[in-house]
Amino acid sequence: MNILILGSGGREHALAWAVMQNPKCDKLIVAPGNAGIAGIATCADLDILDGAAVVEFCENNVIDFVIVGPEAPLAAGVADRLRDGGFLVFGPSEGAARLEASKAFTKEICDAANAPTAGYARFTEAGPAKDYIRAEGAPIVVKADGLAAGKGVIVAMTEEEAVEAIDDMFGGEFGSAGAEVVIEEFMEGEEASFFVLCDGETVLPIGTAQDHKRVGDGDTGPNTGGMGAYSPAPVMTDAVTQKALDEIVKPTMAEMAKRGTPYQGVLYVGLMIKDGQPRLVEYNVRFGDPECQVLMMRLGAQAMDLMHAAAEGRLAETKVNWSEDHALTIVLAAEGYPGTYRKGTEIRGLDTLPETSQQMCFHAGTAMKDGKLVSNGGRVLNVTARGATLAEAAERAYAMAGAIDWPEGFFRSDIGWRALSR
Ligand code: AMP
Ligand code: GLY
């Protein structure tokens, strides 16, 4: 099979790594890719938001199967253009991608599916939104309706903070994503992510994970795209997982099918768990980054068969081969991230790292410059390892992180603390 992966982050490096291990893969192209991906696959310069260009690329390169990594091309309908062009795609249609692209839409689906989630109200004007905040009190959560690169959610601890968020959103800080605002009840509990594949009808769980959103040790400092993750998430017991499937995921998938927008691809289910009861925080229509890295480390080559089965509508006859292992990934970021940071600083020592089915250094934001590996983003590397226990996976990953010579980078020293201290 000739396979095309769309995207350029650590998530896509991990997907490429898993796909390359599968003997059914004859040729792999990643567009646009990065310096790490270029070491295992062909990278191609392509505007992945331009559906017509992606279709033409697939025709020219005789592509059999397309895996879409990030949400932006999905929300832009690239999977639809590819299907119209006769290509097999892993990833939801534009209509189904609204589960991530519109928070108000997701709330509407939860209502229709009777799925447990935070109470909420929707607003298109600042005045009534502020009245609602004053009536409800803090803590309270203010969300821009549309895609805002992970920055459109304000968990406000005071009414003033919430009111300020309303002014920012209606003031245009998030562009059209903030034209509508969802205000939610603040949910307490422990967060976890649950990943399932869907083929429009059947739902197949493929793993759980927890990430670390704050930049600093002890979960302090500003929010980031994620500083590390591990799988499985101990809070996702069999009972909690079953409840999440029965009360949230399956009713959502049934509602999507009923509306004529069946969901096909991976669904990232963000949950808040309290007293054994999961409630939905959000859906994403893609793998998490860096959660994908730990899932791929645990699934290995079968990941490609699973995605292929989802795209072909064969999940009812598909099983996951589980191994009772744990995986953990640590994000190495550029000093200053998530604020301003430098690009182009040299990274040394990667050639000393072992790369096996047990440990890999996935590249998130790297480039080659004058024959040297340099940073090319905020989150730059994801050292990822697995082990029989989470402690073993953490030890392997931290040994890798420590062996990388990059003075302009940093990483958290406590990834996995919550699970390790259980
Ligand atoms: P989202 O992009 O919707 O996942 O929101 C980002 C983060 O904000 C989540 O991972 C949670 O940590 C937090 N969050 C979102 N909604 C709520 C809520 N209703 N209650 C508490 N925390 C929330
Ligand atoms: N790591 C969080 C996300 O991918 O949205």
Side-chain angles (χ1 to χ4, degrees):
M1 240 189 291
N2 295 336
I3 298 169
L4 172 67
I5 296 177
L6 301 183
S8 62
R11 167 180 52 209
E12 286 76 22
H13 191 183
L15 289 168
W17 174 78
V19 164
M20 283 303 287
Q21 291 173 50
N22 192 305
K24 292 188 200 99
C25 172
D26 297 310
K27 181 169 89 174
L28 175 63
I29 304 178
V30 184
N34 63 35
I37 295 171
I40 60 168
T42 305
C43 290
D45 197 16
L46 176 63
D47 177 2
I48 64 169
L49 296 180
D50 181 343
V54 176
V55 169
E56 192 187 332
F57 184 89
C58 289
E59 282 163 355
N60 293 340
N61 290 277
V62 204
I63 297 296
D64 302 299
F65 183 37
V66 183
I67 298 168
V68 185
E71 66 278 14
L74 295 166
V78 169
D80 307 71
R81 300 294 89 70
L82 282 163
R83 283 190 196 101
D84 292 346
F87 292 98
L88 187 67
V89 193
F90 177 77
S93 66
E94 182 178 351
R98 289 186 74 204
L99 283 177
E100 176 165 359
S102 168
K103 302 210 183 268
F105 174 77
T106 297
K107 286 300 199 184
E108 194 183 301
I109 294 286
C110 284
D111 285 346
N114 204 14
T117 183
Y120 74 103
R122 298 163 61 165
F123 298 93
T124 51
E125 282 174 62
K130 290 180 188 176
D131 293 343
Y132 181 80
I133 288 166
R134 296 217 172 85
E136 293 290 314
I140 195 160
V141 183
V142 180
K143 300 185 174 185
D145 174 62
L147 291 177
K151 299 188 182 80
V153 175
I154 308 294
V155 180
M157 286 301 149
T158 62
E159 284 179 37
E160 291 65 45
E161 232 182 301
V163 165
E164 209 174 291
I166 291 295
D167 284 331
D168 289 347
M169 285 182 194
F170 288 121
E173 187 169 324
F174 300 101
S176 59
E180 179 165 358
V181 165
V182 175
I183 303 180
E184 277 186 15
E185 163 203 356
F186 173 80
M187 292 188 285
E188 279 175 47
E190 183 171 344
E191 273 190 273
S193 308
F194 180 32
F195 293 87
V196 300
L197 299 184
C198 308
D199 63 5
E201 251 176 70
T202 303
V203 174
L204 183 69
I206 56 163
T208 62
Q210 278 176 307
D211 78 344
H212 296 264
K213 286 193 169 45
R214 303 298 186 109
V215 74
D217 282 0
D219 291 331
T220 56
N223 265 326
T224 70
M227 293 301 292
Y230 51 92
S231 172
V235 68
M236 292 295 292
T237 59
D238 289 348
V240 172
T241 303
Q242 198 58 49
K243 264 181 184 278
L245 274 174
D246 293 343
E247 297 176 11
I248 302 173
V249 180
K250 287 182 180 173
T252 298
M253 294 295 96
E255 181 63 25
M256 293 300 284
K258 194 172 119 194
R259 291 181 180 223
T261 47
Y263 189 93
Q264 186 266 82
V266 61
L267 187 67
Y268 164 155
V269 186
L271 298 169
M272 189 71 79
I273 299 117
K274 192 170 176 231
D275 302 329
Q277 177 64 49
R279 288 207 282 169
L280 183 76
V281 177
E282 62 162 348
Y283 284 126
N284 292 308
V285 299
R286 50 172 174 84
F287 283 106
D289 189 346
E291 292 88 336
C292 184
Q293 288 78 317
V294 285
L295 292 175
M296 290 305 123
M297 180 78 15
R298 294 186 66 210
L299 291 168
Q302 69 177 317
M304 179 186 132
D305 296 323
L306 295 171
M307 292 187 279
H308 193 238
E312 288 195 327
R314 290 187 283 105
L315 286 182
E317 57 197 70
T318 303
K319 282 205 169 62
V320 181
N321 285 315
W322 293 107
S323 61
E324 295 299 318
D325 60 356
H326 297 255
L328 181 141
T329 186
I330 304 159
V331 172
L332 277 71
E335 242 166 37
Y337 174 82
T340 51
Y341 53 82
R342 270 166 68 204
K343 287 187 183 179
T345 56
E346 189 180 353
I347 302 163
R348 295 189 203 82
L350 293 199
D351 45 351
T352 66
L353 302 180
E355 295 198 333
T356 67
S357 63
Q358 306 254 49
Q359 57 195 98
M360 266 298 295
C361 176
F362 297 119
H363 292 225
T366 62
M368 290 301 286
K369 197 176 160 200
D370 305 327
K372 290 176 181 158
L373 185 73
V374 297
S375 66
N376 194 35
R379 292 191 295 170
V380 173
L381 297 168
N382 312 137
V383 287
T384 310
R386 65 187 170 117
T389 61
L390 185 62
E392 188 177 82
E395 196 179 311
R396 279 201 181 111
Y398 273 107
M400 291 171 87
I404 294 171
D405 177 10
W406 182 33
E408 294 84 3
F410 74 97
F411 53 88
R412 275 182 59 163
S413 67
D414 63 348
I415 300 304
W417 68 268
R418 192 193 290 275
L420 287 167
S421 66
R422 262 182 192 241

